[in-house]
């Protein structure tokens, strides 16, 4: 009797351990909870947010709670940079901003970054790149790592600057609801697939990229560097840095000049900011517009097959976290050909950079929904057409660019026709005419 009881006990323990093991494996492999409900907000909140989005802010604006526009800024309204295809779309190169990042040094052990603003409310607050040279001086001796060798670099400039293009915000609320787990599990799946190909002696695969872990442990998915985990944080930073509007989540940007600017209360109160976020959150979602003509439809469908065949869909994932048609893995990828010369991130200035921090050459995969109405392309807006954007893919994505170039001309055209069918939302709100032309405002401008 005791032997039978012992055997039954062992079987139960074994069964329990097996169930636990299956549960652990299932938990690790599970892609995360899919998005089941889209963003919603009351009509009143959306309308209030829309009015703030298109409002042309002024210094000491009557609807601001503090000093209004500025003291430094890049635009007078949200829609000034987000207008292509309707309110909330992408921007042209004319509205690019100049972003910078300074490597840490022994005397300044923190990574610092920000924007060099185009405008200021007064001339003595104007910024330019020369101010960066004063704030972040030349490093006399740095070390460059090339093919595992350490090379001394004399007089290294720790500042890296980049032109950054405004992204389209359509469907941002759906992206906000994609779980971090969906992103991390997609990255795990891509890593396992890449490892499997390498074990089969196939070394031409695309590296899986990596998700950005923010200092508080969350996964970033908004911004060209995936520097924001939520849409609310993204909107807060845009208000503070692009318009100089302090808000409940972030203080307004201050000029990086010798003359100090006083501390100010938030320009947007909680109700205003909440309405603005609700409007951006509920911006319409783009989709695939299939032509009615049978021949054109067949070409788009063939282009969609080729999109996956040449490898575009490895990074521009058609569906993620239950959101169909988003075409992004929200991971950081390196699109620079290192054979062309050493990368900026290869230089060390004496203080290690956290592994989680993206290199200067790493950029988040942009969603492709609405891509037909969001030219120019890449983070700097340096590719005016879809064809040039595909051909520009180098670094980790070089195999895709090469595969596209090997396609016959008609297949290349079909793939581009497919991308041209990924259009902005037809129900986007039309962009209003500016109430006050910029030339009529008394503002300081950087040359």
């Amino acid at each position: 009797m005791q032997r039978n009881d012992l055997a039954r006990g062992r079987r139960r323990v074994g069964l329990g351990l097996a169930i636990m093991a299956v549960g652990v494996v299932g938990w690790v492999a599970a892609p995360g909870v899919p998005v089941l409900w889209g963003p919603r907000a009351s009509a009143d909140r959306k309308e209030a947010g829309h009015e703030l989005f298109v409002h042309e802010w002024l210094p000491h604006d009557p609807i601001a709670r503090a000093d209004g526009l500025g003291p430094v800024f890049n635009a007078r309204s949200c829609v000034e940079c987000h207008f292509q295809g309707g309110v909330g779309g992408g921007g042209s190169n004319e509205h690019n901003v100049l972003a910078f990042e300074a490597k840490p040094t022994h005397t300044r052990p923190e990574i610092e970054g920000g924007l060099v603003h185009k405008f200021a409310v007064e001339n003595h607050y104007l910024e330019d790149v020369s101010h960066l040279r004063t704030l972040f001086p030349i490093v006399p001796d740095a070390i460059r790592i090339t093919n595992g060798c350490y090379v001394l670099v004399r007089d290294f400039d720790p500042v890296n600057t980049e032109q950054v293009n405004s992204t389209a915000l359509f469907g941002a609320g759906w992206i906000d609801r994609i779980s971090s787990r969906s992103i991390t599990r997609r990255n795990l799946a891509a890593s396992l697939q890449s490892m499997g190909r390498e074990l089969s002696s196939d070394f031409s695969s695309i590296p899986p990229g990596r998700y950005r872990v923010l200092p508080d442990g969350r996964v970033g998915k908004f911004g060209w560097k995936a520097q924001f985990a939520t849409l609310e944080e993204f909107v807060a930073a845009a208000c503070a840095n692009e318009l100089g509007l302090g808000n409940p989540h972030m203080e307004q940007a201050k000029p990086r000049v010798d003359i100090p600017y006083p501390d100010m209360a938030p320009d947007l109160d909680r109700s205003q900011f909440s309405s603005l976020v609700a409007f951006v959150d509920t911006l319409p979602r783009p989709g695939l517009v299939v032509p009615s003509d049978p021949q054109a439809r067949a070409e788009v469908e063939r282009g969609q097959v080729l999109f996956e065949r040449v490898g575009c869909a490895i990074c521009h994932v058609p569906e993620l976290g239950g959101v169909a048609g988003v075409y992004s893995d929200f991971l950081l990828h390196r699109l620079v050909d290192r054979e062309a010369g050493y990368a900026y991130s290869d230089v060390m200035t004496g203080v290690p950079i956290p592994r989680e921090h993206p290199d200067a050459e790493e950029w988040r995969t942009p969603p492709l929904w609405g891509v037909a109405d969001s030219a120019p392309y890449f983070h700097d807006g340096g590719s005016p057409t879809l064809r040039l954007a595909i051909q520009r893919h180098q670094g980790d994505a070089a195999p895709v660019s090469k595969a596209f170039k090997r396609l016959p001309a008609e297949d290349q055209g079909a793939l581009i026709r497919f991308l041209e069918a990924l259009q902005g939302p037809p129900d986007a709100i039309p962009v209003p005419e500016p109430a006050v032309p910029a030339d009529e405002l008394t503002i300081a401008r950087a040359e």
Side-chain angles (χ1 to χ4, degrees):
M1 179 69 72
Q2 291 180 347
R3 287 183 178 179
N4 291 337
D5 291 342
L6 182 60
R8 281 197 296 270
R10 287 175 175 173
R11 284 196 295 271
R12 288 171 181 171
V13 171
L15 180 61
L17 290 174
I19 293 173
M20 184 182 299
V22 171
V24 170
V25 172
W27 183 86
V28 170
V33 179
V35 178
L36 301 176
W37 294 278
R40 297 179 181 178
S42 68
D44 290 342
R45 285 190 71 198
K46 288 194 289 186
E47 180 54 34
H50 171 237
E51 290 178 2
L52 291 168
F53 195 92
V54 301
H55 181 72
E56 294 174 11
W57 296 89
L58 297 169
H60 306 291
D61 198 288
I63 70 170
R65 301 301 189 256
D67 60 350
L69 184 72
V72 286
F73 56 99
N74 287 316
R76 297 175 297 143
S77 70
C78 301
V79 77
E80 188 174 325
C81 296
H82 296 281
F83 61 90
Q84 291 189 119
V87 173
S92 62
N93 282 338
E94 176 188 358
H95 299 284
N96 282 6
V97 300
L98 184 62
F100 77 88
E101 182 174 280
K103 281 180 173 288
T105 63
H106 287 301
T107 58
R108 180 185 44 80
E110 300 295 330
I111 301 172
E112 294 195 39
L115 304 176
V116 179
H117 296 88
K118 297 179 183 178
F119 306 109
V121 293
E122 296 180 26
N123 283 323
H124 53 262
Y125 291 132
L126 275 176
E127 302 173 331
D128 61 40
V129 176
S130 65
H131 292 128
L132 299 181
R133 301 292 174 260
T134 303
L135 294 169
F136 311 107
I138 296 295
V139 178
D141 297 318
I143 298 295
R144 183 179 80 237
I145 303 176
T146 303
N147 297 325
C149 298
Y150 289 73
V151 180
L152 182 65
V153 179
R154 299 281 187 188
D155 298 334
F156 174 71
D157 185 352
V159 177
N160 183 58
T161 59
E162 288 277 359
Q163 289 287 331
V164 178
N165 186 252
S166 303
T167 59
L169 302 177
F170 296 131
W174 289 90
I175 294 173
D176 196 33
R177 285 158 178 77
I178 295 175
S179 70
S180 297
R181 189 174 178 80
S182 296
I183 297 173
T184 58
R185 290 304 174 266
R186 171 64 195 180
N187 183 230
L188 175 61
S191 298
L192 293 174
Q193 291 171 2
S194 178
M195 188 183 303
R197 287 191 293 268
E198 290 180 3
L199 290 174
S200 302
S201 299
D202 178 6
F203 299 99
S204 62
S205 61
I206 298 174
R210 63 186 181 118
Y211 51 89
R212 181 171 183 180
V213 180
L214 301 175
D216 60 7
R218 294 178 302 158
V219 174
K221 57 187 171 182
F222 287 98
W224 278 110
K225 292 289 186 178
Q227 65 267 42
F228 304 107
T230 67
L231 180 61
E232 184 176 61
E233 293 165 345
F234 175 85
V235 173
C239 288
N241 294 316
E242 307 295 351
L243 303 171
L245 297 177
N247 55 78
H249 291 276
M250 187 173 289
E251 295 181 355
Q252 65 187 15
K254 289 188 177 181
R256 296 176 183 270
V257 294
D258 294 334
I259 301 174
Y261 192 84
D263 292 336
M264 288 286 173
D267 293 292
L268 301 178
D269 62 24
R270 293 191 179 278
S271 176
Q272 289 173 311
F273 181 72
S274 176
S275 295
L276 180 60
V277 172
F279 173 72
V280 179
D281 186 56
T282 54
L283 283 169
R285 170 179 172 174
L288 176 66
V289 179
V290 180
S292 57
D293 176 71
Q295 183 175 349
R297 182 169 62 251
E299 188 175 22
V300 168
E301 290 171 351
R302 173 157 179 74
Q304 189 169 14
V305 172
L306 291 166
F307 181 85
E308 298 215 15
R309 184 179 300 172
V310 301
C312 301
I314 294 175
C315 302
H316 293 284
V317 181
E319 178 177 342
L320 188 67
V323 179
V326 69
Y327 289 99
S328 177
D329 58 9
F330 299 96
L331 301 177
L332 297 170
H333 293 273
R334 191 187 305 275
L335 301 183
V336 174
D337 184 0
R338 290 208 174 219
E339 294 181 358
Y342 77 87
Y344 177 82
S345 57
D346 289 336
V347 179
M348 301 184 299
T349 53
V351 177
I353 295 176
R355 180 190 173 279
E356 296 79 11
H357 191 80
D359 291 342
E361 298 83 18
E362 288 183 306
W363 301 92
R364 182 208 60 159
T365 304
L368 290 187
W369 57 7
V371 69
D373 298 312
S374 61
Y377 306 108
F378 267 72
H379 64 275
D380 59 357
S383 301
T385 67
L386 289 166
R387 181 180 294 273
L388 290 174
I390 296 172
Q391 294 172 346
R392 185 179 172 184
H393 281 66
Q394 298 300 321
D396 293 350
V400 174
S401 179
K402 292 176 181 177
F404 175 79
K405 291 176 182 178
R406 288 195 297 266
L407 291 176
E410 59 270 22
D411 284 350
Q412 291 185 10
L415 196 156
I416 291 174
R417 294 293 91 74
F418 162 65
L419 294 175
E420 290 174 342
L422 296 175
Q423 299 176 13
D427 52 344
I429 301 173
V431 175
E433 290 293 328
V436 181
D439 293 340
E440 294 183 12
L441 285 177
T442 305
I443 55 177
R445 305 165 190 269
E447 296 299 331

